[in-house]
């Protein structure tokens, strides 16, 4: 089996390295003393490094990959892009935004990779990044009130502060289906998608998963694959993205107000967007006005639909109204009744907005194509994988050449629990969190000082 899933036993594949403190040869096994070690070079880690350097701390980032960007360093799968509209998905740092212009309303992974190279050039981040340094263990030493951290390559680091900027998607999830290793085709987890891409033209492709990644891969794969099979457990209640270019003249004018948008305005919205927080409830408006409000949110795209009224996720009757509007729109886009009932059921599968909807461009039209098959795995689960493809409970063998795993991550806490992390009195974080994630304000944990 060919695969691009790194390995179930190692997090990342080989790399060619980049400029910066990559710790090879002469420094890999040396000991490093710091005020603070940041783990992860995504948005949070890079910003924290920038701010702590300004405050005079001796600080470094340990990063398992070979470049900045966190999830955007790894994401190369087809269709990968943000679902936050220009300009909020960016740093509010003047020297960064004054010298950068976005080209798309919803930037894709290639533009985000360029953005992080720009950030690196402007802020000189890489000089304080230990690339290809995956932290595997960390223990607090009460005799000196510091953390001792060990990297997979043998590097040892001592720091007063251990700052985990691992992101919510640091540990990949791989299904434990019997026979996956026997598959003779190509298997690829979304976060290990090769940068050169995967040739799906004319191939039989399976996409497993319906989170944002699964939606994006399926949407793109349908354009090229000879046959596409999408294994759907819970349908994603997708909202229109309404993608488009950023007008250069608009971008120039925005520079005058960008500081306020990025450093004040986006914090006024409960989700960090530039939308106004809703003040009215669904039933404050008569049906014709309500319909017009929802239609306008649909036309503009993005997550505006969720911010049309203030009680959408607090009142079931209000939620039903918005779901019915959504279902009417989606069902009108599809001609295949079986697919329509799976992807846009008349009865909502869960509260609208209760699971984060994805943004799509033409997902429903693509899924409606005759060469696309939808398999509802709640009713007909995957039981095993063979040399030729995927077998479901009804005994059907779905012959495929490529399996795209959009099966997600051990989200939010998986990255921290993946580190052998020991606090005071020998307490292990993974064990402490075995029955639940206990923290103070989501920021600190008892018996794990300065973490």
């Amino acid at each position: 089996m060919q695969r691009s899933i790194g390995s179930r036993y190692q997090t990342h594949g080989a790399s060619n390295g980049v400029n910066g403190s990559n710790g090879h040869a002469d420094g890999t096994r040396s000991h490093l003393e710091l005020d603070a070690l940041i783990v992860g070079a995504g948005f949070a880690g890079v910003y924290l490094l920038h701010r702590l350097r300004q405050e005079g701390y001796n600080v470094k980032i340990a990063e398992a990959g070979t470049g900045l960007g966190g999830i955007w360093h790894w994401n190369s799968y087809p269709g990968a892009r943000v679902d936050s509209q220009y300009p909020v998905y960016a740093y509010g740092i003047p020297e960064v935004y004054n010298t950068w212009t976005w080209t798309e309303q919803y930037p894709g992974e290639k533009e985000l990779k360029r953005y992080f190279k720009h950030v690196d050039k402007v802020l000189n981040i890489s000089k304080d990044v230990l690339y290809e340094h995956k932290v595997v263990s960390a223990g607090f030493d009460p005799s000196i009130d510091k953390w001792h951290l060990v990297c997979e390559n043998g590097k040892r680091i001592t720091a007063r502060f251990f700052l985990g900027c691992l992101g919510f998607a640091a540990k990949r999830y791989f299904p434990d289906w019997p026979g996956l290793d026997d598959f003779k085709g190509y298997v690829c987890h979304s976060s290990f998608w090769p940068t050169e891409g995967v040739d799906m033209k004319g191939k039989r492709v399976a996409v497993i998963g319906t989170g944002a990644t699964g939606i994006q891969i399926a949407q793109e794969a349908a354009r090229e694959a000879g046959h596409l099979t999408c294994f759907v457990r819970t349908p994603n209640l997708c909202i229109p993205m309404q993608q488009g270019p950023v007008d250069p003249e608009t971008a120039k004018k925005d520079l005058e107000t960008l500081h306020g948008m990025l450093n004040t305005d986006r914090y006024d919205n409960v989700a960090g967007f530039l939308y106004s927080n809703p003040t009215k409830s669904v039933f404050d408006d008569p049906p014709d006005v309500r319909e017009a409000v929802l239609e306008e949110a649909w036309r503009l795209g993005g997550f505006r639909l969720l911010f049309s009224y203030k009680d959408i996720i607090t009142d079931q009757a209000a939620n039903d109204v918005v779901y019915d509007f959504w279902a009417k729109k989606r069902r009108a886009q599809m001609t295949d009744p079986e697919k329509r009932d799976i992807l846009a059921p008349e009865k909502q599968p869960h509260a609208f907005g209760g699971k984060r909807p994805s943004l799509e461009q033409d997902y429903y039209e693509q899924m409606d194509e005759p060469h696309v098959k939808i398999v509802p795995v709640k009713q007909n689960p995957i039981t095993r994988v063979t040399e030729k493809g995927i077998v479901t409970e009804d005994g059907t063998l779905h012959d495929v050449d490529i399996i795209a795993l959009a099966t997600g991550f051990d989200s939010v806490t998986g990255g921290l629990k993946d580190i052998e992390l020991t606090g005071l009195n020998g307490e292990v974080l993974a064990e402490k969190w075995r029955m639940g994630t206990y923290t103070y304000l989501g920021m600190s944990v008892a018996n794990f000082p300065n973490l």
Side-chain angles (χ1 to χ4, degrees):
M1 172 183 65
Q2 289 181 294
R3 63 171 69 209
S4 183
I5 54 175
S7 165
R8 288 180 217 187
Y9 313 108
Q10 61 182 37
T11 304
H12 306 294
S15 61
N16 298 320
V18 298
N19 292 331
S21 307
N22 56 24
H24 286 180
D26 57 340
T28 297
R29 298 196 176 276
S30 62
H31 184 262
L32 187 62
E33 286 272 355
L34 299 170
D35 294 328
L37 180 72
I38 299 164
V39 182
F43 265 104
V46 169
Y47 183 74
L48 194 52
L49 176 73
H50 170 63
R51 289 292 291 114
L52 290 179
R53 289 195 311 200
Q54 288 180 327
E55 298 294 329
Y57 285 86
N58 177 19
V59 57
K60 302 281 185 188
I61 295 176
E63 165 57 45
T66 61
L68 304 181
I71 196 69
W72 297 109
H73 168 71
W74 300 104
N75 275 351
S76 295
Y77 65 83
R81 66 180 62 253
V82 302
D83 54 12
S84 299
Q85 190 172 10
Y86 160 88
V88 300
Y89 200 78
Y91 290 118
I93 302 172
E95 55 264 50
V96 173
Y97 65 68
N98 281 329
T99 52
W100 175 262
T101 303
W102 294 103
T103 65
E104 292 185 300
Q105 293 288 337
Y106 297 88
E109 52 92 9
K110 288 184 173 59
E111 186 160 24
L112 282 154
K113 287 178 172 64
R114 293 195 299 271
Y115 178 70
F116 273 98
K117 287 181 181 178
H118 170 72
V119 170
D120 196 11
K121 181 180 178 182
V122 171
L123 301 180
N124 198 12
I125 297 297
S126 280
K127 77 181 183 70
D128 288 314
V129 180
L130 303 165
Y131 290 109
E132 297 180 272
H133 279 62
K134 182 190 177 190
V135 174
V136 293
S137 68
F140 188 77
D141 184 347
S143 68
I144 58 172
D145 288 339
K146 291 183 178 180
W147 285 93
H148 295 300
L149 302 104
V150 180
C151 299
E152 197 171 47
N153 59 12
K155 184 86 166 184
R156 294 179 178 273
I157 301 166
T158 299
R160 183 181 173 196
F161 298 100
F162 169 20
L163 307 170
C165 294
L166 293 152
F168 75 91
K171 184 180 179 183
R172 286 87 171 166
Y173 171 73
F174 300 101
D176 57 358
W177 300 316
L180 186 58
D181 291 332
D182 300 327
F183 180 59
K184 296 295 186 184
Y186 186 79
V187 178
C188 190
H189 190 281
S190 60
S191 65
F192 285 114
W193 206 274
T195 54
E196 67 274 14
V198 175
D199 182 12
M200 295 186 282
K201 191 165 288 186
K203 304 281 180 60
R204 299 167 300 175
V205 178
V207 176
I208 299 161
T210 53
T213 298
I215 298 300
Q216 290 171 334
I217 293 176
Q219 187 174 251
E220 298 301 315
R223 306 182 208 283
E224 294 191 359
H227 188 272
L228 174 64
T229 305
C230 294
F231 293 84
V232 174
R233 182 176 61 182
T234 304
N236 196 316
L237 310 183
C238 301
I239 302 173
M241 177 177 282
Q242 308 298 19
Q243 172 69 305
V246 174
D247 177 61
E249 290 303 313
T250 301
K252 282 183 185 177
K253 291 178 183 175
D254 284 345
L255 279 177
E256 299 171 12
T257 56
L258 205 52
H259 183 81
M261 285 193 281
L262 295 179
N263 293 294
T264 304
D265 297 350
R266 63 176 167 179
Y267 298 112
D268 290 337
N269 178 270
V270 295
F273 298 119
L274 295 178
Y275 315 149
S276 298
N277 289 318
T279 57
K280 298 172 74 175
S281 298
V282 165
F283 296 106
D284 288 344
D285 283 334
D288 59 330
V289 174
R290 188 165 62 230
E291 186 80 4
V293 169
L294 298 177
E295 283 285 359
E296 180 65 3
W298 192 269
R299 183 187 70 81
L300 292 171
F303 290 108
R304 288 174 180 83
L305 191 66
L306 294 177
F307 294 88
S308 301
Y309 292 100
K310 66 180 182 180
D311 58 345
I312 290 174
I313 58 172
T314 58
D315 181 84
Q316 185 62 58
N319 194 271
D320 291 344
V321 167
V322 179
Y323 180 80
D324 290 345
F325 170 84
W326 177 90
K328 179 182 69 175
K329 300 290 269 187
R330 290 311 186 194
R331 291 177 69 82
Q333 290 176 266
M334 304 189 73
T335 59
D336 185 306
E338 186 177 343
K339 294 179 187 178
R340 183 170 56 212
D341 286 344
I342 295 170
L343 297 180
E346 291 182 321
K347 182 181 178 183
Q348 57 178 234
H350 52 78
F352 188 74
K355 289 189 175 187
R356 178 172 177 158
S358 296
L359 302 187
E360 57 79 42
Q361 297 182 65
D362 62 351
Y363 173 72
Y364 293 92
E365 292 87 348
Q366 294 295 342
M367 295 304 99
D368 203 37
E369 292 287 340
H371 71 292
V372 177
K373 182 177 184 179
I374 308 293
V375 179
V377 295
K378 265 188 181 174
Q379 292 77 29
N380 190 20
I382 294 170
T383 56
R384 68 184 191 279
V385 180
T386 71
E387 292 183 358
K388 294 182 177 181
I390 297 168
V391 180
T392 45
E393 192 174 67
D394 64 357
T396 301
L397 170 62
H398 304 270
D399 290 299
V400 294
D401 305 304
I402 298 168
I403 298 175
L405 295 174
T407 47
F409 304 85
D410 182 355
S411 291
V412 186
T413 57
L416 281 169
K417 290 194 289 188
D418 204 32
I419 298 170
E420 187 183 330
L421 215 161
T422 308
L424 294 174
N425 306 315
E427 188 165 20
V428 177
L429 187 68
E431 182 59 30
K432 184 183 183 82
W433 283 356
R434 189 170 61 86
M435 299 302 291
T437 304
Y438 302 99
T439 72
Y440 177 66
L441 302 179
M443 293 179 66
S444 58
V445 185
N447 290 330
F448 294 83
N450 292 344
L451 168 62

